[in-house]
Amino acid sequence: MSGAVTEFRMPSLGADMEAGTMVEWLVKPGDKVDRGDIVAIVETQKGAIEIEVFEAGRIEEILVDSGGKVPVGAPLARIRTEAEPTAQPRTQPPMAGAAPPPTSATSTASTPSAAIQPSPTLASPIAGAPRRTGRILASPAARQLARLQGVDLSTITGSGPSGAIVRSDVERMRAATETKRAIGFDFDAMRVAIAAAMTRSKREIPHYYLQHQFDVTACQQWLSRRNATLAPPDRLLFAALAIKSVALAVHRYPQFNGFYRDGKFEPSSAAHIGVAIAIRGGGLAAPALHNVDRLSLDELMARLRDLVQRMRSGRIRGSEIADPTITVSSLGERGVEAMFGIVYPPQVALVGCGKVVERPWLVGNRVEARSVVTATLSGDHRVSDGHAGALFLAEIDRLLQEPEKL
């Protein structure tokens, strides 16, 4: 068979990650995969993460069984591509924030026995599920839902006529999978991981902090008019406007968007905004909304709702954890009026937003009641300074004055 062989390696899913546990493979040898396909579930201290591939081809060999603990950079599988005539193995393109390929001492882990330290407490969420051969009987609605949710119909026992799989069977399987993932979620381990990352941040990053109050009356009035005739699932929240304004502002002030690694700043041309999300039961994570500057507000709001739902149900993707270029955090819904966050390495900035409140505000020569939000900036002094930070916050303020143009 022609084509090159690529090694698909355990990605780095955060600056504090050293290893992950393979929970479930969603593909098998011989399966065709495209760039961006989700192929596995990996358990980290932040929960179960969906892992994507960055090569198109066919799965040639699975190197790690379910339950194996694998260090960052170790091979998970081999993929045969159709792009090159040589069959020499090569590594996948690195993800943003990913660790470098392992040294020669680590590369001996290319076989399962060298890379895996078995963990009997974790098993595939669908281990032992019945499989059938031949054509699978399933209703069109069940097939569509299974395709959308990534459920393998061959793992489901149908309850319909002649054993056919119906939509409710797919829903039950998905719910069971989510429950099993949630049971294995270790919130104490997550807190330890977050604490380690924040300790490293405060130790290594010379923080500075700024605070600025925005008059967002125009935003609130525009949102009220726009949302008046819409059903709740279609309404925009102020958070979407704040996230979009940050994504646009970083293009004018790129020193706040990117990564500080190996003693130098690497600006990012993409605006991947990390959104801090509180997880039910405890813990916090900040997965990325990708290319926010290119999204309409409706698209952004839909993706934000989807991201929050998937984060809380344990269906987040590896790239969403690994590549935020700047983070936006808000505790406004908890009643907090101002917050000063800690920069998550290797990022160099974090924008905090508080609750929108009514305040007396000088407009011209009159004092009026206006909608005001307190925004803060936590910056890395190795890359920017207070002067640049003040201009950055002022640019966000300017963008929010014309919400219809966001």
Side-chain angles (χ1 to χ4, degrees):
M1 179 178 179
S2 63
V5 175
T6 288
E7 285 186 337
F8 173 55
R9 297 176 176 271
M10 174 68 81
S12 172
L13 304 175
D16 54 327
M17 177 179 169
E18 296 180 357
T21 300
M22 178 59 65
V23 174
E24 176 187 0
W25 282 104
L26 304 180
V27 294
K28 60 185 182 299
D31 283 355
K32 186 178 184 302
V33 294
D34 292 318
R35 179 181 174 87
D37 282 354
I38 298 168
V39 297
I41 307 295
V42 170
E43 185 82 14
T44 74
Q45 289 174 306
K46 295 176 181 174
I49 311 295
E50 297 179 340
I51 305 300
E52 303 124 300
V53 292
F54 294 88
E55 296 280 359
R58 291 190 181 276
I59 301 296
E60 173 125 319
E61 183 180 4
I62 299 291
L63 301 176
V64 175
D65 294 328
S66 297
K69 188 172 183 179
V70 188
V72 169
L76 298 175
R78 293 195 178 98
I79 301 174
R80 184 173 292 277
T81 69
E82 301 175 357
E84 301 175 18
T86 176
Q88 293 297 318
R90 57 188 176 87
T91 60
Q92 70 196 67
M95 296 171 62
T103 62
S104 57
T106 307
S107 63
T108 58
S110 59
T111 62
S113 60
I116 301 173
Q117 302 161 16
S119 175
T121 59
L122 281 176
S124 167
I126 58 173
R131 291 180 177 270
R132 49 170 80 84
T133 58
R135 184 175 182 274
I136 297 173
L137 295 176
S139 70
R143 290 183 184 278
Q144 181 182 29
L145 183 62
R147 184 171 61 254
L148 290 174
Q149 297 192 348
V151 174
D152 184 357
L153 288 174
S154 68
T155 66
I156 301 176
T157 299
S159 61
S162 302
I165 299 170
V166 295
R167 181 184 177 92
S168 60
D169 298 326
V170 179
E171 292 172 341
R172 278 194 297 271
M173 171 58 79
R174 190 65 187 182
T177 300
E178 300 300 345
T179 299
K180 289 178 181 178
R181 287 179 189 166
I183 290 173
F185 195 88
D186 189 339
F187 289 107
D188 289 335
M190 169 184 276
R191 291 188 186 95
V192 170
I194 293 172
M198 296 300 96
T199 299
R200 172 190 165 191
S201 175
K202 292 295 286 185
R203 182 177 64 246
E204 298 179 2
I205 299 176
H207 283 65
Y208 69 89
Y209 304 96
L210 301 177
Q211 175 179 313
H212 184 49
Q213 289 189 323
F214 301 161
D215 178 357
V216 293
T217 305
C219 286
Q220 295 295 89
Q221 293 174 345
W222 182 79
L223 284 172
S224 295
R225 292 193 301 269
R226 186 195 177 282
N227 291 336
T229 59
L230 298 177
D234 299 323
R235 292 173 185 168
L236 284 177
L237 300 179
F238 176 77
L241 277 65
I243 293 168
K244 181 66 178 288
S245 64
V246 171
L248 295 175
V250 295
H251 286 302
R252 186 168 182 182
Y253 297 96
Q255 61 267 53
F256 298 97
N257 192 56
F259 310 99
Y260 190 90
R261 291 186 290 227
D262 300 325
K264 63 180 181 180
F265 176 58
E266 303 170 9
S268 173
S269 59
H272 300 327
I273 310 300
V275 181
I277 299 172
I279 302 172
R280 293 188 182 99
L284 184 75
L289 290 166
H290 291 122
N291 301 307
V292 172
D293 54 322
R294 303 178 190 175
L295 302 178
S296 69
L297 288 174
D298 288 331
E299 291 172 328
L300 172 55
M301 193 68 242
R303 293 195 187 185
L304 178 59
R305 286 193 173 99
D306 173 67
L307 188 69
V308 171
Q309 181 181 17
R310 288 191 293 106
M311 184 72 244
R312 291 176 174 170
S313 64
R315 292 188 291 119
I316 208 68
R317 294 167 188 163
S319 60
E320 292 167 332
I321 290 292
D323 61 5
T325 56
I326 182 174
T327 293
V328 174
S329 182
S330 172
L331 289 176
E333 63 180 17
R334 303 293 185 224
V336 173
E337 293 189 19
M339 62 157 293
F340 294 89
I342 301 174
V343 176
Y344 190 87
Q347 297 171 46
V348 297
L350 180 147
V351 175
C353 287
K355 177 184 178 182
V356 178
V357 296
E358 293 296 307
R359 287 281 185 269
W361 198 263
L362 186 63
V363 181
N365 58 358
R366 296 193 313 258
V367 175
E368 298 181 3
R370 307 289 285 184
S371 298
V372 176
V373 67
T374 299
T376 61
L377 173 67
S378 303
D380 185 338
H381 228 314
R382 296 171 300 182
V383 179
S384 63
D385 55 30
H387 175 71
L391 294 175
F392 178 52
L393 287 176
E395 177 66 7
I396 297 172
D397 188 358
R398 185 190 68 80
L399 290 164
L400 287 173
Q401 300 313 308
E402 298 180 302
E404 67 281 358
K405 294 184 180 179
L406 290 175

